[in-house]
């Protein structure tokens, strides 16, 4: 299998603070990778480098054939291949669910207006929210908003999807519905990079877990590694929770 | 002596009032277009554009409108460009409004959370598409009350056009008073007419603001 995402020796600093200190990993097509680690260990930063929301200082980074460390990278082509879902949903509050989902396909992929509704419906069915197509974001629960955000990203037919603690802002009883949607996506063959604090999800759904610590990939392995940590830091992280 | 205040005097004042409205509308329309440009430059990615527009805004905001008016009317007159008073006043107010509206609108654009830009960027929308489809509709909501509020300022500022001989409401009142010598009555009436123009706008601005706050509370 070919790697869709390749990070090699990535260094990233904010000002004088080095946040990523030589991060390397590869993600194959169809693979689901969970990134775990303490707050401040650089998980979000690593994820945001993958679709170039952050620029790196050194290292090589290739995503879906786009060389992201290259200044001349076609960002719009990259963003069509890489979807992203945020902790805070970031839906467009002035647009309906349908408009939220179809805005980018209409503007970027020149989807005809008459086909827009069908696309919105299809995407919403994948997250089980077809009946909310005409609602506004503020009329939805947090879990529903996050599922719409996933549908919005799916509608662009990305090759890779990035998730940054997408359930962290949700009440515990609402995280389940979002995790189930993500699990279905994973089973459907989507390539996913998931930053999460949900250890059970990481274990059950991820093909591989990456434990980040102090800006480095500290330990990596299949979901089972969480039951048998090699490094004291991972052991400590698992037993002390977040 | 001048005689008493007649219907003809009132009609003359009302005509002046009409020109006040025309000048306000002109200033606001031109100033709005220019102010939109200022806002775009103030929020641009290119540093030079931001710097140029910053200096422009500082310069205009730090200069009395009357001086701008003198520069445009008398200054341009000296170099051979003679603008009619309406146009000179319109241009001056445009310059003045563009700086203030540009700043008001920049604030509103920046009040939209950065994450909205980020989410749009991740969906491959261009900067311009993001601005038009995502940011401006949200910014416009916040911008409406202060914009209408500023319109009241513009309306009152048009009285300065009287100094270059443009017969708007204030100038009309001066003319009437010069023949009647009843300043309390004449300028009192002019004041009432200004109030009649501005008060509804102020009320509207405040009710828009209240609605906005209610909307916010519901969304939260
Ligand atoms: N835009 C920024 N400017 C300056 N420092 C930043 C910025 N973003 C992140 N950092 C710093 O980089 C470090 C890593 O942050 P990052 O958000 O990647 O951590 P994280 O592992 O995602 O943590 P969390 O679990 O809290 O989300 C932190 O020390 C953080 O303060
Ligand atoms: Mg994070």
């Amino acid at each position: 299998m070919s790697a869709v995402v390749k990070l090699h020796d990535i260094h990233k600093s904010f000002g004088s603070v080095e946040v990523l200190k030589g991060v390397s990993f590869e993600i194959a097509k169809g693979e689901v990778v969970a990134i775990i680690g303490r707050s401040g260990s650089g998980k979000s930063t690593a994820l945001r480098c993958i679709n170039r929301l952050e620029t790196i200082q050194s290292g090589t980074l290739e995503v879906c054939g786009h060389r992201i460390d290259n200044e001349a990278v076609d960002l719009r082509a990259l963003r069509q291949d890489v979807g992203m879902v945020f902790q805070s949903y970031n839906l467009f509050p002035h647009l309906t669910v349908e408009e939220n989902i179809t805005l980018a396909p209409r503007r970027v992929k020149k989807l005809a207006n008459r086909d827009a509704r069908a696309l919105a419906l299809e995407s919403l069915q994948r997250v089980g929210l077809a009946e909310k197509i005409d609602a506004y974001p503020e009329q939805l629960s947090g879990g529903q908003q996050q599922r719409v955000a996933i549908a919005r990203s799916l509608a662009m037919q990305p090759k890779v999807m990035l998730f940054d603690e997408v359930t962290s802002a949700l009440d515990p009883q609402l995280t389940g519905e979002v995790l189930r949607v993500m699990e279905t996506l994973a089973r459907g063959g989507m390539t996913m990079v998931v930053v999460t604090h949900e250890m059970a999800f990481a274990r059950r759904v991820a093909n591989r877990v990456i434990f980040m610590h102090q800006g480095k990939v500290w330990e990596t392995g299949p979901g089972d590694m969480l039951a048998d940590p090699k490094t004291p830091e991972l052991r400590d992280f698992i037993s002390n929770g977040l | 002596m001048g005689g008493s205040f007649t219907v003809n005097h009132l009609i003359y004042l009302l005509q002046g009032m009409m020109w006040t409205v025309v000048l306000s509308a002109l200033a606001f329309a031109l100033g709005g277009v220019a102010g939109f440009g200022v806002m775009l430059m103030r929020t641009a990615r290119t540093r030079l554009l931001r710097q140029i527009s910053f200096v422009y805004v500082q310069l205009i905001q730090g200069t009395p409108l009357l001086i701008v008016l003198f520069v445009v009317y008398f200054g341009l007159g000296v170099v051979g460009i003679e603008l009619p008073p309406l146009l000179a006043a319109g241009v001056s107010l445009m310059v003045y409004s563009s700086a203030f509206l540009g700043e008001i609108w920049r604030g509103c654009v920046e009040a939209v959370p950065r994450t909205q830009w980020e989410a749009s960027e991740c969906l491959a929308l261009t900067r311009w598409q993001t601005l038009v489809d995502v940011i401006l509709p949200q910014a416009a909501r916040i911008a409406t009350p202060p914009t209408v509020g500023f319109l009241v300022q513009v309306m009152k500022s048009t009285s300065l056009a009287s100094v270059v001989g443009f017969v708007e409401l204030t100038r009309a009142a001066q003319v009437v008073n010069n023949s009647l010598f009843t300043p309390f009555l004449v300028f009192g009436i002019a004041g009432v007419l200004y109030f009649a123009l501005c008060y509804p706008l102020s009320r509207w601005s405040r009710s828009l603001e209240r609605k906005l706050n209610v909307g916010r509370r519901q969304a939260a």
Side-chain angles (χ1 to χ4, degrees), chain B:
Chain B
M1 286 299 279
S4 59
F5 192 85
T6 65
V7 169
N8 284 338
H9 292 125
L10 184 63
I11 289 172
Y12 190 68
L13 288 183
L14 288 174
Q15 275 171 352
M17 181 176 167
M18 186 198 74
W19 283 110
T20 290
V21 172
V22 170
L23 181 55
S24 301
L26 184 70
F28 197 69
L30 295 175
V33 172
F36 190 80
V38 170
M39 178 275 285
L40 288 180
M41 286 176 72
R42 289 283 281 126
T43 57
R45 258 182 309 184
T46 317
R47 192 149 138 204
L48 185 64
L49 289 180
R50 287 202 306 269
Q51 285 171 339
I52 292 172
S53 53
F54 177 75
V55 170
Y56 172 80
V57 167
Q58 294 301 311
L59 203 67
I60 302 303
Q61 289 194 340
T63 309
L65 175 55
L66 193 55
I67 298 297
V68 177
L69 187 59
F70 283 169
V71 168
V72 171
Y73 188 67
F74 298 117
L76 290 183
V78 166
V79 294
I81 308 169
E82 293 235 8
L83 297 181
L86 171 63
L87 198 57
V91 168
S92 306
L93 282 161
M94 171 186 91
V95 170
Y96 169 78
S97 309
S98 67
F100 283 88
L101 286 175
E103 276 304 276
I104 293 174
W105 293 342
R106 176 189 64 86
C108 296
V109 162
E110 286 176 354
V112 177
R114 278 232 46 93
T115 49
Q116 292 282 304
W117 285 99
E118 247 176 28
S120 309
E121 206 180 330
C122 289
L123 290 166
L125 292 168
T126 62
R127 208 183 140 75
W128 183 252
Q129 288 167 338
T130 303
L131 191 69
V132 170
D133 289 315
V134 178
I135 306 299
L136 289 183
Q138 297 182 62
R141 241 173 75 85
I142 322 172
T144 312
T147 302
V148 175
F150 182 72
L151 182 51
V152 175
Q153 298 296 319
V154 171
M155 189 88 85
K156 288 189 289 191
S157 303
T158 57
S159 62
L160 288 177
S162 60
V163 302
V164 296
F166 180 64
V167 188
E168 38 63 70
L169 180 50
T170 299
R171 182 77 197 145
Q174 282 171 352
V175 170
V176 171
N177 183 56
N178 285 347
S179 72
L180 296 183
F181 307 110
T182 50
F184 273 119
L185 177 68
V186 175
F187 291 118
I189 291 173
V192 168
L193 293 179
Y194 272 113
F195 185 78
L197 287 176
C198 294
Y199 184 65
L201 285 173
S202 300
R203 279 290 295 262
W204 186 36
S205 164
R206 247 175 297 145
S207 89
L208 285 169
E209 205 163 333
R210 252 198 313 277
K211 262 188 223 146
L212 190 66
N213 288 337
V214 170
R216 276 232 190 86
R217 235 173 286 133
Q218 277 170 349

Side-chain angles (χ1 to χ4, degrees), chain A residues 22-225:
Chain A
V23 169
S24 307
F25 57 80
E26 296 197 353
I27 295 168
K29 191 165 184 301
E31 204 178 11
V32 177
V33 170
I35 301 181
I36 60 171
R38 264 180 224 297
S39 182
S41 57
K43 307 182 296 294
S44 298
T45 306
L47 199 68
R48 290 163 60 86
C49 287
I50 294 177
N51 69 352
R52 211 163 180 274
L53 281 180
E54 307 286 357
T55 50
I56 60 175
Q57 265 75 48
S58 68
T60 55
L61 219 172
E62 190 179 322
V63 178
C64 302
H66 308 279
R67 277 295 295 271
I68 300 185
D69 43 301
N70 185 346
E71 269 303 312
V73 64
D74 182 348
L75 281 181
R76 296 192 67 213
L78 169 73
R79 265 72 181 261
Q80 290 186 52
D81 286 340
V82 183
M84 180 150 190
V85 186
F86 302 85
Q87 177 173 346
S88 50
Y89 336 132
N90 301 353
L91 293 179
F92 306 133
H94 61 297
L95 299 180
T96 63
V97 166
E98 175 182 345
E99 291 162 342
N100 261 278
I101 293 172
T102 60
L103 177 64
R106 281 185 287 130
R107 293 288 180 273
V108 179
K109 298 193 163 172
K110 306 299 172 202
L111 174 76
N113 282 339
R114 63 173 181 282
D115 300 330
R117 196 167 174 89
L119 176 69
L121 258 183
E122 185 196 315
S123 310
L124 283 170
Q125 271 154 4
R126 296 177 72 179
V127 301
L129 277 178
E131 76 279 8
K132 297 293 185 191
I133 188 163
D134 294 315
Y136 279 90
E138 63 178 2
Q139 298 168 320
L140 304 177
S141 73
Q144 291 171 333
Q145 289 190 48
Q146 194 58 292
R147 284 149 70 197
V148 171
I150 293 173
R152 178 174 72 174
S153 187
L154 281 174
M156 288 294 282
Q157 294 169 311
K159 296 183 180 132
V160 182
M161 285 186 75
L162 312 176
F163 295 83
D164 192 0
E165 297 195 33
V166 296
T167 57
S168 295
L170 298 174
D171 294 338
Q173 69 269 26
L174 297 178
T175 60
E177 63 185 57
V178 174
L179 293 177
R180 269 192 298 282
V181 166
M182 290 167 65
E183 188 164 353
T184 311
L185 271 182
R187 306 266 178 249
M190 177 64 77
T191 309
M192 294 165 56
V193 189
V194 185
V195 171
T196 186
H197 284 154
E198 299 284 339
M199 290 305 134
F201 177 85
R203 239 180 118 168
R204 193 177 69 247
V205 181
N207 306 107
R208 200 147 49 90
V209 177
I210 292 174
F211 171 61
M212 287 191 65
H213 187 67
Q214 292 176 353
K216 291 183 179 140
V217 174
W218 207 259
E219 193 173 335
T220 172
D224 298 342
M225 91 176 188

